[in-house]
């Protein structure tokens, strides 16, 4: 039976509404602008190794900041991100996090050698500052609620170290200290994944790597993270993320080489503004 002419406009209107509702029901995994501010509750493991020599003498050694100097393994790390799209599927990602550790420890003991007792004591103060910042241009591929990203950019990292102490043996005191500050720029490669379950709930994963050969500070940095975003309000939300960062850098000097081996792992709670 043919449809009455007055019903055609009504059907077209219903189809338009249905099409609009279907399109609106697909959540977007990306925001035009997103600012993330948080603290990385990192469990750290830091080893510094050195090898050097002069003339016919060579020496090597290493110490762990957490085990040997008693630095707190769990201390918040400042973490910030800014992401914005320049087109529907391209954008810029900026990131920064800073790591600070400092502590002083004292050692006192008796040493017995050849029937003689020596009173020995020492004070050791150590500090390490690490800053990392990156800027990358990202391309996003995919449709509807899931996208995959590829990013290319540059990273800046800086390492400051200080180790000083004094040792006393039978009233004779010797003091020594060493400090350094180095920074470098290196290329960055980043991969990403985003999925939106709804307008209020998303999951994501990121993997990035930095590598540099030559210069005063060479080595590689690998960063991996997986997280979930929740937006109770239109512009404001929270993100819980678990990250693992591995930093292996070598600093070259005329008389010695020093190596930094740092692992940061743990959860981050972000405040998201979009």
């Amino acid at each position: 039976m043919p449809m009455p002419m007055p019903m055609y406009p009504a059907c077209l209107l219903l189809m338009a509404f249905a099409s609009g509702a279907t399109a609106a029901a697909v959540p977007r995994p990306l925001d035009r602008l997103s600012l993330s501010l948080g603290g990385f509750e990192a469990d750290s493991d830091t080893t510094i190794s050195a090898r050097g020599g002069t003339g016919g003498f060579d020496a090597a050694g290493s110490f762990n900041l957490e085990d040997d100097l008693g630095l707190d393994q769990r201390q918040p790390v400042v973490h910030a991100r800014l992401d914005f799209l320049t087109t529907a599927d391209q954008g810029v990602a900026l990131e920064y996090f800073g790591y600070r550790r400092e502590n002083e420890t004292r050692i006192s003991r008796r040493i017995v050698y050849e029937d003689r007792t020596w009173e020995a004591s020492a004070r050791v103060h150590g500090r390490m500052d690490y800053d990392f910042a990156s800027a990358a241009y990202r391309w996003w591929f995919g449709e509807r609620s899931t996208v995959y990203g590829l990013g290319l950019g540059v990273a800046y990292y800086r390492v400051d170290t200080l180790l000083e102490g004094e040792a006393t043996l039978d009233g004779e005191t010797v003091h020594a200290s060493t400090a350094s500050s180095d920074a470098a720029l290196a290329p960055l490669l980043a991969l990403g994944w985003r999925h939106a379950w709804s307008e209020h709930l998303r999951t994501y994963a990121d993997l990035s790597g930095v590598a540099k050969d030559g210069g005063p500070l060479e080595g590689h940095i690998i960063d991996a993270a997986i997280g979930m975003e929740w937006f109770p309000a239109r512009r404001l939300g929270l993100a819980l993320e678990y990250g693992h960062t591995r930093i292996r850098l070598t600093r070259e000097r005329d008389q010695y080489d020093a190596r930094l081996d740092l692992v940061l792992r743990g959860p981050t709670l972000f405040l998201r503004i979009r």
Side-chain angles (χ1 to χ4, degrees), residues 76-157:
V77 176
V78 177
H79 204 166
R81 290 187 186 134
L82 176 63
D83 297 272
F84 60 90
L85 295 177
T86 55
T87 66
D89 55 3
Q90 299 180 32
V92 176
L94 307 175
E95 183 175 13
Y96 167 81
F97 69 86
Y99 169 88
R100 304 284 185 272
R101 291 294 186 274
E102 184 172 11
N103 194 40
E104 182 175 299
T105 185
R106 293 182 178 272
I107 304 170
S108 180
R109 60 176 298 185
R110 290 182 177 181
I111 301 174
V112 179
Y113 179 70
E114 291 187 349
D115 298 328
R116 182 176 176 182
T117 301
W118 306 77
E119 297 290 341
S121 63
R123 177 190 63 86
V124 181
H125 174 241
R127 188 192 75 230
M128 191 188 76
D129 297 344
Y130 174 78
D131 289 296
F132 178 89
S134 67
Y137 197 85
R138 288 196 165 191
W139 293 264
W140 295 99
F141 309 93
E143 297 179 355
R144 300 174 70 83
S145 59
T146 302
V147 293
Y148 302 88
L150 170 65
L152 298 175
V154 63
Y156 166 85
Y157 50 91

